[in-house]
Each structure stands twice: as C-alpha cells, then as structure tokens.
Amino acid sequence: MYKLLRFQELNLLRFLHIKQCQYFHSSHNSLDSSPRIYKLNRHLNGLWKSGQIDEARRVFDRMSDRDEFTWNTMVAAYAHSGRLAEAKQLFDEAPKKCSITWSSLISGFCRYGCESEGFHLFWQMQYEGHELSQFALGSILRVCSLKALLSRGEQLHALVIKTRFDSNAFVNTGLVDMYAKCDSIVEAEMIFDEMPERKSHVLWTAMITGYSHNNDGIRAIRCFRDMRAEGVEPNQYTFPSLLTACATVSARGFGGQVHGCIVRLGFEANVYVGSALVDMYAKCGDLYNARRALESVEGNDVVSWNSMVVGCVRQGLEEEALLLFKKMHAKDMDIDDFTYPSVLNSCASMKVMESAKSVHCLIVKTGYEAYKLVSNALVDVYAKGGELGSAFQVFNSMIYRDVVSWTSLVTGYACNGFYEEALKLFCQLRSAGVDPDQIVIASVLSACAELTLLEFGQQVHTNFVKFGFGSTLSVDNSLLTMYAKCGCVKDAKKVFNLMKIRDVITWTALIIGYAKNGKGKYSLALYDDMIANGIKPDFITFIGLLFACSHAGFVEQGRQYFQSMEKVYGIKAGPDHYACMIDLLGRSGKMNEAKELLNQMSVEPDSTVWKALLSACRVHKDIKLAERAANALFELEPQNAMPYVMLSNIYSAAGFWENTAKIRRLMKLRGISKEPGCSWMEMNSKVHKFMSEDRSHPKTDQIYSKIDEIMMLIKEAGYVPDMNFALHDVDEEGKELGLAYHCEKLAVAFGLLFVPQGAPIRIFKNLRVCGDCHAAMKFISRVFCRHIILRDSNCFHHFREGTCSCGDYW
C-alpha cells in the first residue's frame, strides 16, 4: 500500500512540475517576458530541484521583479520540503494566485499529514472562485485514502462529477484508490469499469492494490491477468501489491511466475519489489527462495530483512530469526519498530531472557521504547519468560496502553500461576475503559478455573456474550474447563454441545471434568465418542482416562487404556500415567501388581508416583512399602510435609506410637510444618475463608451456633464421630469438638446460613477431606435437603440425599 501511495505522490509532483514547466515556458515566451526574470527563474527552479531551499530564498529575496512563476516556485519548494508555515506565508503574500499556486500548497499540507488545513485550503480555493485542478483533487483524494475518510471522499466524488472531472484519468485513479482504501471495493470497481477500454498501468495498479488491501488476493491476481491480456505492462509499483495478494492466498506457484516476470522486466533489484518478493516467499513458507530474493535486493533494505525475520518466526525458526537480527545489527542497519517485535517474539518462544534483555537495551539506546508495538512486545517477552516485575515495569512506563498491552500482562500473570493478580489486572483493564479481546477472556477464564471462582467466571462469560464476540476455540475450551473445574459439569457439557469446532483439548477437558466429578462412566463413554469422531487422543487424554478408572474402580478398562497408549497411538507412558495406574491398582487391593508396575517403569518415578503408592499403602496398611515411598519423597521433596504426615498417620493407625513420635521429631528438626487445612466459599463476589477452630470470621457466633445445631441433628440421624481423625493428645470431648470445628464443617455451616435454599453449597479445600467430614457431609445433605459440592485437593464430592458422587472411593 505504501508503494502505491508513494507512486501517486511521485506522479502528483511530476504532474505539478510538468504543469509548472509548461507555465514557465508559455509565460516567458510572451512579449512581456523579461530575459533577466527568465534566467533568474530557471536558476531558482534549479536550486529547488537540488534541495537548496535557503539559497533559493536568498535569490528570491534579491529579485527586484517577480512573476507568477517566481512565486509559485518558492511556494512549491517550501511546501514540498515540509516547511509549511513559510509556504503559507509566501502564499498569502503572493500578489496573484493561480491553480498551480493553490495545488502546490494543498499538496504540501496533505503530504505532511495536515489534512484539516489541506481541506480548508481546498474549499477556500473553490469559494474564492479559482479554477479546480486535477492536481488539487489528486492531493485531497490521497488524504482520504490515507485516513480512510469515506464520507469526505464521497463528497469529493460528487464534486468531480459536478465539475466534469469524471473523465479525467488522473482523478479517477485517485477515486479508485480512495474507495478501495475505505473498504468500498464495489464502488472502486464501478469507477474502474466505467473507464475507457485502454486503461493506464497506474489505474490497473490502483485496482490491483485495492483488491490486495481488501484481502481479496484471488481477484487481485485475476485483475493482473486482465491487465496483461490488455497488453499493459506492469512496473515496479504494480508488483509489490500483487505479491502481497499472492502471500494473502498462499499462491506460491503464481508468485513464482510473477517473479519470473519481474526478472524479465529488470525490476528484481528494485528495493520495493525485492522486499515484496522476500515477504511473499516468507509468508508462503518458502524460506529458501526468500533468502535468494533477499540477496538480490540492492543495499541493506530493512523492510526486506524484516520480512525475512518475520518469516523465520512464523516457521518456528527462532534461532535463525535471532541470527538475522544480529547480522542486521552488525551491518549497522536502521533497525525499526517492525524489527524489534519480531525479534522479541523469537526470544519469547525460546525463553532466552538474556537475549531479550540485550534487545531491550538496544531498544532504549535507539529510542524505540516509546513505540507501542515495541513496548507491547517487551511486556509479552518478559511475561512469557516469567519476569513479571520487568513486564509490569515496562507496562507501567507506557503512556498509551491498548488491549494488547493489557492482554500480554494479564496472560503473563495467569500463565505463571499468579491467578489472583491476573484477575485484579483484568478488573483494572475494565475500569480503564478498555474492551477485552478473546485472548484475555480465555486467560481470565483459565485463572477462574484454577481459583475455582465460579461467580467471577460466570460474570466474565456474561461479558463475553454481551461484547458480541464470535465463538473461538480457545475461549470455548477455557469456558468449558472453568465450569468443569468449578464442579458444574452440566454447564461444561452445555458449552461442549454448543461448540462448532472441537479439538483434542475440548474432549480431554470434559473427560477430566467428568472424572474429577465422580462420573467415570461418562468419561469412558465420551472417550469412545471422541475416537468415533476421528479425534486422536494425546498424552493428557490418557491421564484423564486413567484418573477416571482409578476413581471409579475400573481396573480392567484402566489396563486396556494403559496398554493402548503406546501400542495404538505411540504415546509413551509418563510418570503421571504410572501414578494413575499405581493408584488404580492400589485402591483395588492389587498391591503386588502395583509393586511390579513400579519396578517395570520405563521412566524414573517422580513424586506423583511415590505419592500414589504411599496413598495406597495407607489404605492397605503396607508399612514396609510406605516407608520406601516416604523415604523417596523425603529426597525428592524435602520440604513437603505430606509424606511425613501420611507416614505418621500410617504408624498411628497401626499403633506404632514410637515411630509416629519419631516422624514428628524429624519434621520439627527439619523445620517442616504441616500445611494447615483451609476451606473457602465464594458468595456475592467475595471469598469467605475458614480455618479449623478459627473464630476470625465476622459471622463467627452464628456459624458456631449453626455447627451445634448441625451436630445435634445429624447425630440423631445416625452420625457417629470418627475419632481416628481427631487429635490424640486431648480427651474424648475435646476430640469430638475438634472434629466438629474442622474447616469444611465451618464452611458448610456458613453455607446453610447464607446460601439460598435450592442453590448448591460450593466448598473448596486445599487438602483432602478427612473421613469424618466426608461422613458428616453425607448426613448433612440428607438432613438439610441440600446439594453440597466439596472440592478437595483430589476431586469433587457431590453430596445429595446422604450419598456422595465418589461412592466413598476417594
């Protein structure tokens, strides 16, 4: 597009110059012409053309006699060089103004982005009754093209028809370009088709560029073929737009033919054509020919090198992109604000933060830090590299932030596990009046899923619908995952059913959602549907399937899935798969098979495997194997209290009190403390947190009063406290009270008090729910006729009418 605009500008200046020269010769061939003025005017014109504007002014000031050509030359000289104030001053002082005088000044204002002044002069020119010229119209139409001012352009079109300039090829070319740049390609086609049969290459180029600008590469190619069929030869301004069109539709074959035409016509070394060739080949994935085209471009053209860098990034060749950037820097090229973002994207993909910091230093040194594209790329690279402090510092220093700036930061915090901070930033984004995009919506929904903030996620979902965003796979997947992780599998299934496109992530998310919510049969049935729909499972899919089998007791199906991973799909089992299988075998009492699988592992067992084994040992009271698993965990995760606590509980259950005391002393010696149990609920956009026996909540009195009522009623219904989950250093009454005031029981009391009847009570806990609380929740759900959803560190428990979705198998 830039090439055509530049072409139009050069044509306009050329026509103005021709008109000026014609006027020069006609005026000085008259009887009144002074040989002295003629000579001085030629000298003045020569100084302007060579760029010696100040010297031209000195000659102008020394001239005792000046004619129209003298004044016009100086106005044009100042306007063309961007010295608009001086041009306007001379224009006002000129004793007589003709269409060339007006056109020169209007052209200058339009060329340097002063469209308001250009329009004002244009209308003033007509108001004062001066003859309208094609050059003035061309200048003003070019502004409408650049700024996409469709309504102004339509007014000018009406004026063109009224003043009978609609048969002028130069003006019509400007109209075609204006409509095309304003995305009114049909109007551009109408003007183009109404032109005489023999159209100039400038007009054909404008139409090809128009199609290319509107991302209609096919019609741009057809237009070029029609142009050749008419016998019109393309030039260096035609090819860049045509090659852009080829890149748009990945027409590598046709682009190669165009390349041959370029070589035949001798334009291969042209900077604009060469850079377009590099860009076309790079976007079509042909980096070999892109490199060859780059070598053919004269000089070190930064646009061509940028296209090559971007091409490497798109093809996943980040190292080569960085190498090209280093070569650009070594060649002392004028690296610009298009180069830096591509290079920073490479650094982000490779997570090479040292290189990113070096590029950042160069950005500061070259003064590009204030450019929004560059700053956005800096925020993104630091966020993706986990250096959130640096990302926030760059973000905070930005004067203008757009949705991309916010999205990079929010996504960075979410991807690095800082979910609360990501949600706070999202709220700030909304307060700043920035409309979120689909990428940030997906990230926020993912953060809601990790924090199990259902209400917040529902609000984001509502906003997503309100904003009128079209459905995208990433947002739909995040939405489905959010509902599944918040225990709303019905809502997750609704999202799934409404999705037009589903990938392996979609199916896997729902498979895991069902598994985590105690619906293992649904997980297995969904997997069969997934295979029937031609979707190939991945590494994560099998983790979800094996988890479902483990928590539903499907031993045989679990074995089949585990074996089919590598045999059918070529997926090698990882530690997570082995952990699920050991958990499955351990839960079903097949400890010998679990040990055998452990010894046959093709990968080194990690903490997840040993934790699964230790958990199985607790169920089946295998002390010797539990000690082996715990010792492995002591080495792998020396500061994790879980293996110490679990081994201590296993010793306690077996009556090995001395060993229990030994483990506790070891924890104290190593400075390891057990993570305190914590439960929380979200209500009215506020999170309510509860610790065991904690009395810090504002509604403490009501909560503890409700607890007493709950315990009395469920005991009458048959509940018996399980003292195995109570502290051992207090009396029986103290043990019972301690059990009553576990954090999940405090949470359910709060829920019974304040969650409306009929709505589910949703509780989340950081640790596994203890056996006593699990039994109590079943009784509470029956006695109070409430649906209680409790998500612990392992899975969801849906308590209804005295039963749990886990089947007491958690």
Side-chain angles (χ1 to χ4, degrees), residues 89-283:
Q89 184 182 354
L90 276 181
F91 175 85
D92 292 337
E93 294 173 2
K96 186 179 178 182
K97 302 176 183 71
C98 64
S99 62
I100 294 177
T101 324
W102 285 92
S103 297
S104 297
L105 190 63
I106 291 168
S107 175
F109 275 103
C110 292
R111 184 185 184 203
Y112 287 98
C114 302
E115 62 269 12
S116 298
E117 292 84 349
F119 274 109
H120 177 73
L121 284 166
F122 181 77
W123 300 126
Q124 186 183 349
M125 174 185 176
Q126 294 172 79
Y127 180 76
E128 293 185 10
H130 293 279
E131 183 184 354
L132 191 63
S133 72
Q134 61 177 337
F135 313 114
L137 279 167
S139 295
I140 214 75
L141 282 170
R142 192 164 58 84
V143 171
C144 295
S145 296
L146 279 168
K147 302 291 183 180
L149 303 174
L150 179 60
S151 59
R152 288 279 183 93
E154 288 171 334
Q155 291 173 15
L156 287 169
H157 191 182
L159 180 64
V160 166
I161 296 170
K162 182 180 178 182
T163 53
R164 300 182 183 275
F165 272 99
D166 51 336
S167 59
N168 184 287
F170 181 77
V171 173
N172 277 320
T173 302
L175 283 170
V176 167
D177 184 61
M178 181 275 295
Y179 277 118
K181 295 297 192 317
C182 294
D183 299 330
S184 298
I185 194 68
V186 175
E187 287 79 0
E189 283 178 327
M190 288 174 63
I191 296 168
F192 180 81
D193 292 337
E194 288 172 2
M195 293 291 288
E197 287 187 10
R198 184 66 184 177
K199 301 178 178 72
S200 70
H201 67 275
V202 181
L203 185 60
W204 283 102
T205 297
M207 200 65 234
I208 291 168
T209 303
Y211 285 129
S212 182
H213 175 80
N214 285 271
N215 295 317
D216 195 341
I218 299 297
R219 284 203 282 181
I221 291 169
R222 286 175 185 165
C223 189
F224 176 75
R225 284 174 171 163
D226 292 343
M227 173 184 174
R228 298 303 308 279
E230 291 288 328
V232 179
E233 284 289 340
N235 64 10
Q236 69 267 35
Y237 301 103
T238 312
F239 289 118
S241 296
L242 179 63
L243 290 168
T244 300
C246 292
T248 302
V249 294
S250 298
R252 161 65 184 81
F254 187 80
Q257 294 175 28
V258 173
H259 190 177
C261 183
I262 289 166
V263 173
R264 183 175 63 80
L265 293 173
F267 293 123
E268 191 175 20
N270 180 273
V271 171
Y272 295 142
V273 176
S275 65
L277 272 171
V278 174
D279 185 61
M280 184 275 293
Y281 280 124
K283 285 180 178 174

Side-chain angles (χ1 to χ4, degrees), residues 637-650:
E637 297 180 353
Q639 294 303 308
N640 189 351
M642 176 266 185
Y644 294 92
V645 173
M646 196 169 282
L647 185 59
S648 172
N649 291 339
I650 292 171

